[in-house]
Amino acid sequence: MENPFKFGTIVDGSYFTDRVEEQEKVKQVISSENHLILISPRRFGKTSLVQKVMKSLERPVFQLNLQLVTDTEDFAAHLLKLVLRKYPMERLKHLISHFRFIPTISTNPMTDGIELSFQPSIDSFVLLEDVFILIDKIGERGEKPVVVLDEFQEIKALDKNLDKKMRSILQLHSHVNYVFLGSQESMMEEIFEKKKSPFYHFGYLMKLDKIPYDDFLVFLKKGFCELGEKAEVENVSREILAFTRCHPYYTQQLAFQVWTLWLQKGYMDTLVADASLLLTQVHDMDYERLWATFNRTDKKVLIGLNMNLGSPTSLSFLRSQGIESSSTAFSSLKRLSKLGYVIKNDVYEMDDPFFAQWIMKHR
């Protein structure tokens, strides 16, 4: 039997869990003249959701993670490579001839990859503008592209005023839809919700939450149904969700490990506990190194979160952890959230339940 659970890469097909309403909402926005801003913590499935919708629309998609980009020229090069991989050069010769700086384009025979080089000392934003104009011109010919820019909050670190310059050209395009994905909520809201920001209200803002408990429960029970009795499958599925709190990535990861142990050793009451302990032990050294990077306040806040002591800024929480003030706790939470170790839904909680388990075992 093949393990029905998948994590760590793009999830599609039978591995994709629910998100029916979210799929429909994304499809409606992308099928209109509007752009989409999709925000959620890392590993909530933003990219998988968007790619699943894109496949159903059968439109050209150019997707780039801005964490892989070093500066504006590199941004232009990455984006142009994506276009050239999808379209034969013969179809683009006329369009590229309008570039103000014609790049040197070659194919590496060893890797079959595309290599680009630009003239030295040229305006790198002009390069990027020409590539965006090229994509819009492709849309004029009837194949309306979608440009997906992942981790878009990184634009603030690439080049000064790049956001202003990009907005000035993207707002003129009517033959392309843009999708902006981001995992740092505060930075994304500053880009798209702050009135002074160039991208203020540039598109439809959508926040991706955890997969609802009941939907995830159905998905898990379906995956385990061939391994055991109905009651066993029910118990295991509920235990997994209690541990992961419906976090999409960690639920799939734990379910994968539980399924493997169940197939190897048969059903046991400790299946979920054994699997979670195994996954925590695998990352023991990584967690130990990570824990050493936190200051004393951060450590106290993380311990308090795992002891379910209520709001990290409540009086009982502050007293229990010896934190001097609520502003100190807020500063720690803001820092930990920005780094991705803490997420906030209805309450603050740790992103990684295995790291949370490690902390409680070693405190």
Side-chain angles (χ1 to χ4, degrees), residues 45-310:
K46 295 185 294 295
T47 305
S48 296
L49 171 62
V50 169
Q51 288 202 3
K52 188 173 183 64
V53 173
M54 293 303 103
K55 285 184 178 180
S56 69
L57 296 178
E58 298 182 345
R59 290 167 56 184
V61 180
F62 307 113
Q63 182 160 346
L64 177 61
N65 189 325
L66 293 192
Q67 288 183 323
L68 305 176
V69 173
T70 56
D71 54 32
T72 303
E73 181 176 323
D74 194 40
F75 190 175
H78 273 83
L79 201 55
L80 182 55
K81 286 180 182 179
L82 293 175
V83 176
L84 294 174
R85 289 192 188 108
K86 191 170 291 289
Y87 292 97
M89 191 59 196
E90 291 71 22
R91 292 187 58 184
L92 298 179
K93 276 184 179 179
H94 176 67
L95 298 179
I96 289 181
S97 66
H98 291 84
F99 275 30
R100 284 162 285 183
F101 298 101
I102 304 297
T104 301
I105 304 170
S106 59
T107 302
N108 188 326
M110 301 298 292
T111 63
D112 209 25
I114 297 171
E115 297 182 356
L116 300 174
S117 60
F118 301 99
Q119 301 171 28
S121 303
I122 60 176
D123 187 338
S124 56
F125 181 73
V126 170
L127 298 174
L128 184 60
E129 184 177 12
D130 282 347
V131 176
F132 277 121
I133 292 173
L134 169 65
I135 295 173
D136 191 52
K137 287 182 178 296
I138 290 172
E140 287 182 5
R141 298 190 169 191
E143 293 183 307
K144 190 175 184 180
V146 180
V147 176
V148 182
L149 299 176
D150 209 343
E151 300 299 345
F152 187 70
Q153 71 273 349
E154 298 298 323
I155 194 174
K156 304 286 284 186
L158 287 181
D159 275 324
K160 187 178 180 180
N161 296 325
L162 181 57
D163 54 346
K164 294 179 181 178
K165 294 177 180 178
M166 279 186 61
R167 171 64 191 255
S168 69
I169 57 170
L170 299 192
Q171 66 183 356
L172 302 176
H173 295 171
S174 57
H175 305 95
V176 56
N177 290 105
Y178 291 99
V179 178
F180 306 93
L181 308 182
S183 60
Q184 294 187 24
E185 183 173 348
S186 60
M187 293 181 68
M188 289 291 285
E189 288 183 342
E190 183 177 340
I191 292 171
F192 293 103
E193 293 294 288
K194 191 174 181 180
K195 282 193 174 183
K196 292 184 179 180
S197 171
F199 277 95
Y200 175 65
H201 285 185
F202 189 70
Y204 180 87
L205 181 65
M206 176 178 170
K207 294 185 179 181
L208 192 64
D209 295 321
K210 292 179 179 179
I211 295 171
Y213 182 93
D214 291 342
D215 295 329
F216 229 154
L217 183 63
V218 171
F219 174 78
L220 292 176
K221 290 195 296 186
K222 182 180 178 181
F224 290 120
C225 67
E226 295 184 14
L227 293 181
E229 300 296 328
K230 185 176 181 180
E232 296 170 345
V233 169
E234 181 83 21
N235 290 337
V236 164
S237 300
R238 290 187 180 278
E239 282 185 46
I240 289 173
L241 294 178
F243 182 86
T244 64
R245 298 182 180 181
C246 293
H247 191 298
Y249 175 88
Y250 295 112
T251 299
Q252 290 265 18
Q253 185 181 26
L254 182 54
F256 179 92
Q257 189 62 54
V258 169
W259 192 94
T260 301
L261 287 179
W262 196 340
L263 186 65
Q264 292 174 346
K265 300 181 178 181
Y267 178 78
M268 302 175 290
D269 289 338
T270 59
L271 262 178
V272 176
D274 292 347
S276 64
L277 182 60
L278 178 60
L279 288 171
T280 301
Q281 290 172 340
V282 166
H283 297 288
D284 181 73
M285 293 187 65
D286 295 328
Y287 290 150
E288 187 173 345
R289 284 193 291 267
L290 179 58
W291 187 246
T293 65
F294 296 129
N295 62 40
R296 185 178 301 177
T297 300
D298 291 345
K299 290 178 179 179
K300 289 179 177 181
V301 166
L302 291 175
I303 291 171
L305 285 175
N306 289 312
M307 293 176 66
N308 295 317
L309 295 173

